Amino acid sequence: PEKALEEARLWSSKFEPENLPIDRMKASFVRSSGAGGQNVNKLNTKAEVRFSMSDARNWMPRYTIKRIEALEASRINKKGEFAISSQRHRTQEQNLNDCYKKIWDIIKEASKTPTDSSEEQKLRIKNLQRKANEERLKRKTKHSEKKTLRRERKDSKFFL
């Protein structure tokens, strides 16, 4: 597991938008929905990009693939293809670029690994825990003293 995390960290640090293997992805265009007048009815501007998750094992670390499968399960179809679409813009090229950017963002997010705490951070946490425990014990002692003072004294001179 530690080796997989280290591999993902190294890969993620070098992964840039231009490293996205566009040649391993299938792009298609369909008619966009929604407002836009006659342009929407005549042109196929909505872009959809797909790639096979099994093929992704050749260019993406296993850790990242597992995280994408967990975080973006709704985007993976029964064939095991990751699909994403965009109809934000009026042109095919802009929508296609938007799809690639979305894919890159998702992969980058899935590549994030849990970081180990530094010694300074561990010491800080330990000090905060110790201080919180001391405060808890002070409150407990104060509460106990308050209860003790409320208790009746049988040996008191006032109670005969």
Side-chain angles (χ1 to χ4, degrees), residues 4-87:
L5 284 174
E6 193 55 43
E7 179 189 357
R9 280 187 196 115
L10 181 64
W11 183 83
S12 177
S13 67
K14 296 177 183 177
F15 185 62
E16 295 297 326
E18 55 270 7
N19 298 2
L20 198 64
I22 294 169
D23 57 320
R24 295 178 184 227
M25 299 180 187
K26 294 177 220 141
S28 60
F29 300 97
V30 292
R31 289 210 173 103
S32 191
S33 64
Q38 293 176 355
N39 190 58
V40 165
N41 301 328
K42 292 189 287 187
L43 303 174
N44 295 333
T45 54
K46 179 180 177 181
E48 185 173 86
V49 176
R50 299 170 177 269
F51 66 88
S52 169
M53 290 302 285
S54 58
D55 180 50
R57 298 183 198 296
N58 298 328
W59 56 274
M60 207 186 311
R62 279 197 177 123
Y63 175 83
T64 305
I65 292 170
K66 294 285 184 202
R67 293 250 311 156
I68 288 173
E69 288 171 346
L71 296 172
E72 303 289 337
S74 62
R75 295 185 191 267
I76 300 171
N77 64 19
K78 290 180 183 174
K79 294 178 186 174
E81 293 177 323
F82 181 88
I84 198 155
S85 62
S86 175
Q87 58 183 10

Side-chain angles (χ1 to χ4, degrees), residues 115-151:
T115 56
D116 295 329
S117 299
S118 66
E119 288 302 316
E120 183 181 312
Q121 196 172 14
K122 287 179 184 176
L123 185 65
R124 184 170 172 254
I125 290 169
K126 197 172 185 179
N127 285 338
L128 286 172
Q129 287 174 335
R130 183 178 45 77
K131 191 173 180 181
N133 192 41
E134 286 172 1
E135 289 294 321
R136 182 185 63 83
L137 291 173
K138 279 182 187 175
R139 279 195 317 271
K140 194 172 174 181
T141 306
K142 193 173 180 180
H143 187 70
S144 175
E145 287 172 357
K146 186 192 312 179
K147 294 287 188 178
T148 305
L149 290 172
R150 287 182 188 165
R151 225 181 283 137

